């Protein structure tokens, strides 16, 4: 069922997995407790994967590398498919990372599989209060600094249309929003302070509606936080994956001269 | 126009006070110091009585000229004595301070004053950076991050974490939040283009200090243009000029005072600083690169000697009105924040000036 391109240490690096209704492409890196990332394919998450891989088994389920026998009827249906894929690729509970337009499906996964998901991390989720569509954003729109556009990945219009349809971009999922309160895992919603795709003021809605949700604002970052502030995002995410709610407790020493 | 009294709280005996930075603490006499603050508070109260609109406080360190290293403490004390005037924090030196602490002080002050707070953001000069051992070459970046963080801390209703370049706060939840919603008026004190643009793009006011009207006009012209591009028009209260003043009954009396002052100790105007400090400030304002790491503002011996700035407003009431009017006409200034405590001017003389300003100048500013 799994076609594996094995890398060092017999760790599959790229492959695809068949689950009912879909063929899901994935990549993996590192070893340890599992972290599942739902990538939109809008930009490379290399810095984030590199930061996590030394300590975690990172499994990336990436659009547009997911094909379906039939287009899922809803975001919830898509979440069921991705949950099956994640279950097959991981052992035990995992941290789930959903970015941008994949935030909604990650939220549904947290609702559908609460026993599987240890932590939920939403990076620039467009689920509520979106301003624009990142799949059609022009140059410089996804980043705080135009020079960071280089970190973005080109998305062909046809592919963008496919992703838009699969992830229901632009459609409000009222049922999902109503059920935010049922999400029980430790949750982190991260927004760039200069995001032009979704207002960072949306952060407070997640905090208000999801019982165990922390929100984080990344200074000097746009929608593609990993492009503008890769180190900051990597530090934040790895810290939250490791410590969950206790990530708010400082542990850096202020000692200068012992 | 409106007038603001700068509550400098300068140490008395200004006639003999050295123009060095830092002032050696050995100069401090407790009795004189206590009296100085009491006199300074009386001046603020009298300024309110005579019709001033704001009383302002400014953070400066290791100096008896403007002796408010912790301006929030001073503002709180004056706010209990002055019940009408706006309390203007013009302002905190953001590169030096913990921004969450700044936001907490501002939130509390707006509550203590029941919504009379005006917020000011300052970068400060290299000598100020030396106070808290802050790398001056990072001042600009620290300023920008801290402005963003303070604004967010004063407006965000939910606890948040902050991943900055200079700060990582995993829980920010400032209490109390300001009385004025969504935010008290904010003035960004600057002449640097990037910071002026920040003020315009964030719909904040602008403050300019101690320069002639033509120089301020060049700054405000760009500010107004960028405000227009950002789709808004500043109100008069959002353009503030801070200047030094000596007000006499007549022009002749003012000139005679100035002649007496010249060559007899500290000159009126600002604090003397080393030429290298002045060059660094000029370079920063021109947007030029300047290696700030070796800009020594003052040694422990306090051996600084430099050229102080001249007074911005001097003369009798008619002349001073015209001088202030020039800032309104050329620069669009709606508020003038005035520093009265010149070298050689003791408390009773300051009170006389406040009285004269209230009777002869302020009513005419109101008509502008």
């Amino acid at each position: 069922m799994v076609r594996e391109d094995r890398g060092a240490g017999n760790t599959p690096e790229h492959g695809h997995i068949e689950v009912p209704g879909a063929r899901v492409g994935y990549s993996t890196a590192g070893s340890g407790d599992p972290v599942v990332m739902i990538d939109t394919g809008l930009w490379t998450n290399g810095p984030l994967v590199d930061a996590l891989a030394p300590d975690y088994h990172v499994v990336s389920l990436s659009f547009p590398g997911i094909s379906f026998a039939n287009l899922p009827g809803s975001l919830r249906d898509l979440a069921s498919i991705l949950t099956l894929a994640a279950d097959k690729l991981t052992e035990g509970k995992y941290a789930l990372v959903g970015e941008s337009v994949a935030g909604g499906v990650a939220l549904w996964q947290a609702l559908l599989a609460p026993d599987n998901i240890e932590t939920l991390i939403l990076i620039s989720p467009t689920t509520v209060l979106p301003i624009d569509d990142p799949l059609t954003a022009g140059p410089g729109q996804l980043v705080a600094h135009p020079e960071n556009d280089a970190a973005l990945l080109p998305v062909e219009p046809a592919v963008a249309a496919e992703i838009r349809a699969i992830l229901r971009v632009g459609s409000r999922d009222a049922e999902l929003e109503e059920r935010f309160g049922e999400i029980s895992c430790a949750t982190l919603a991260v927004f760039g302070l200069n995001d032009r795709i979704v207002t960072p003021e949306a952060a407070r809605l997640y905090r208000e509606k999801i019982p165990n949700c922390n929100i984080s604002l990344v200074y000097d970052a746009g929608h593609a936080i990993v492009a503008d502030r890769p180190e900051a995002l990597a530090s934040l995410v790895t810290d939250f994956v490791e410590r969950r709610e206790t990530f708010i407790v400082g542990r850096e020493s202020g000692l200068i001269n012992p | 126009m409106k007038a603001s009294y700068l509550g400098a709280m300068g140490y008395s005996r200004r006639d003999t006070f050295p123009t060095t930075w830092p002032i050696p603490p050995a100069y401090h006499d407790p009795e004189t110091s206590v009296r100085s603050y009491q006199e300074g508070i009386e001046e603020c109260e009298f300024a309110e009585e005579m019709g001033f609109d704001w009383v302002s406080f400014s953070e400066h360190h290791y100096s008896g000229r403007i002796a408010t290293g912790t301006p929030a403490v001073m503002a709180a004390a004056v706010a209990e004595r002055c019940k009408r005037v706006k309390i203007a924090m013009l302002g905190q030196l953001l590169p030096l301070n913990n921004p969450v602490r700044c936001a907490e002080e501002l939130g509390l002050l707006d509550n203590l004053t029941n919504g009379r707070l005006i917020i000011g953001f300052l970068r400060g000069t290299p000598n100020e950076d030396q106070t808290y051992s802050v790398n001056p070459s990072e001042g600009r970046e620290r300023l920008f991050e801290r402005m963003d963080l303070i604004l967010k801390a004063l407006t965000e209703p939910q606890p948040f974490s902050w991943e900055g370049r200079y700060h990582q706060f995993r829980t920010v939840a400032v209490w109390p939040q300001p009385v004025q919603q969504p935010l008290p008026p904010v003035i960004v004190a600057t002449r640097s283009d990037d910071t002026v643009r920040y003020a315009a793009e964030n719909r904040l006011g602008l403050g300019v200090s101690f320069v002639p009207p033509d120089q301020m006009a060049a700054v405000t012209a760009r500010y107004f243009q960028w405000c227009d591009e950002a789709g808004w028009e500043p109100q008069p209260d959002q353009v503030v000029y801070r200047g030094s003043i000596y007000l006499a009954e007549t022009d002749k009396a003012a000139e005679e005072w100035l002649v007496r002052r010249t060559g007899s100790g500290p000159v009126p105007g600002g604090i003397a600083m080393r030429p290298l400090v002045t060059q660094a400030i000029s370079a920063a304002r021109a947007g030029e690169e300047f290696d700030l790491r070796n800009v020594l503002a003052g040694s422990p011996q306090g051996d600084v000697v430099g050229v102080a700035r001249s007074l911005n407003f001097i003369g009798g009431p008619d002349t001073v009105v015209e001088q202030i009017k020039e800032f309104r006409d050329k620069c669009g200034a709606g508020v003038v924040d005035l520093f009265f405590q010149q070298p050689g001017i003791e408390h009773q003389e300051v009170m006389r000036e406040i009285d004269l300003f209230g009777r002869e100048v302020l009513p005419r500013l109101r008509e502008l």
Side-chain angles (χ1 to χ4, degrees), chain B residues 74-88:
Chain B
M74 200 68 247
V78 170
E80 277 303 294
R81 301 271 286 267
C82 297
K83 298 298 186 184
R84 178 189 57 80
V85 289
K86 300 281 189 183
I87 301 297

Side-chain angles (χ1 to χ4, degrees), chain A residues 12-257:
Chain A
E13 292 187 330
H14 298 281
H16 62 264
I17 188 169
E18 302 286 346
V19 294
R23 183 170 184 266
V24 179
Y26 67 90
S27 64
T28 70
S31 59
D33 291 338
V35 177
V36 176
M37 298 177 59
I38 313 295
D39 285 352
T40 58
L42 286 165
W43 48 73
T44 174
N45 275 313
L48 193 51
V49 173
D50 289 347
L52 288 164
D55 298 306
Y56 297 95
H57 176 54
V58 184
V59 178
S60 298
L61 309 179
S62 303
F63 290 93
I66 306 173
S67 55
F68 303 91
N70 295 296
L71 194 66
S74 67
L75 212 51
R76 176 183 180 145
D77 291 345
L78 174 63
S80 298
I81 291 169
L82 296 186
T83 299
L84 287 174
D87 288 349
K88 286 196 171 186
L89 290 165
T90 60
E91 291 181 9
K93 299 181 83 168
Y94 55 86
L96 179 63
V97 182
E99 64 180 16
S100 186
V101 291
V105 72
L107 282 157
W108 265 118
Q109 287 178 253
L111 278 169
L112 297 177
D115 295 336
N116 300 16
I117 296 172
E118 186 90 54
T119 56
L120 172 64
I121 298 171
L122 305 167
I123 302 172
S124 310
T126 58
T127 313
V128 294
L129 299 183
I131 298 169
D132 209 342
D133 178 356
L135 293 159
T136 56
Q141 288 297 301
L142 295 180
V143 291
H145 301 282
E147 62 270 24
N148 294 333
D149 260 352
L152 307 182
L153 300 173
V155 181
E156 296 297 325
V159 174
E162 181 187 346
I163 294 173
R164 188 177 296 108
I166 294 169
L167 290 171
R168 302 292 199 278
V169 177
S171 300
R172 186 178 169 196
D173 192 331
E175 183 188 357
L176 173 60
E177 290 183 41
E178 287 171 7
R179 295 186 61 183
F180 274 3
E182 299 173 30
I183 296 172
S184 56
C185 63
T187 302
L188 177 68
V190 188
F191 288 81
L193 202 64
N194 305 107
D195 195 324
R196 289 188 282 266
I197 299 301
V198 57
T199 172
E201 293 182 357
R204 72 186 60 143
L205 300 180
Y206 293 90
R207 170 89 188 191
E208 288 167 356
K209 294 181 178 177
I210 298 176
N212 192 11
C213 181
N214 289 271
I215 59 178
S216 186
L217 303 174
V218 181
Y219 171 72
D220 208 18
H223 189 65
I225 300 172
V226 74
D228 283 314
R229 300 283 314 281
E231 296 88 355
L233 183 66
S235 165
L236 179 64
V237 171
T238 54
D239 211 15
F240 192 77
V241 169
E242 179 189 345
R243 298 202 282 158
R244 299 189 288 280
E245 298 96 321
T246 62
F247 88 122
I248 63 175
V249 182
R251 61 180 180 183
E252 293 294 320
S253 173
L255 185 66
I256 296 174
N257 293 315

Side-chain angles (χ1 to χ4, degrees), chain B residues 19-20 37 52 59 82 85 109 115 119 121 153 226 250 279 309:
Chain B
T19 57
T20 59
Y37 286 105
F52 280 71
E59 179 177 341
C82 297
V85 289
L109 276 170
I119 296 171
F121 292 153
W226 290 329
T250 64
Q279 290 169 26
R309 292 177 287 261

Side-chain angles (χ1 to χ4, degrees), chain B residues 300-362:
Chain B
Q301 290 73 38
D303 59 353
V304 181
V305 177
V307 179
R309 292 177 287 261
S310 60
L311 285 160
N312 306 102
F313 307 111
I314 181 167
D318 292 347
T319 298
V320 166
V321 166
E322 287 305 310
Q323 290 167 344
I324 293 174
K325 184 173 180 292
E326 194 174 3
F327 282 90
R328 201 287 310 265
D329 294 343
K330 287 186 175 178
C331 314
V335 182
V336 61
D337 184 36
L338 299 167
F339 179 34
F340 282 82
Q341 289 187 342
Q342 303 305 328
I345 302 294
E346 296 299 334
H347 173 59
Q348 288 308 319
E349 179 72 353
V350 172
M351 297 290 273
R352 181 201 62 75
E353 286 189 70
I354 293 170
D355 176 67
L356 182 59
F357 192 92
R359 286 186 292 106
E360 301 291 337
V361 177
L362 201 44

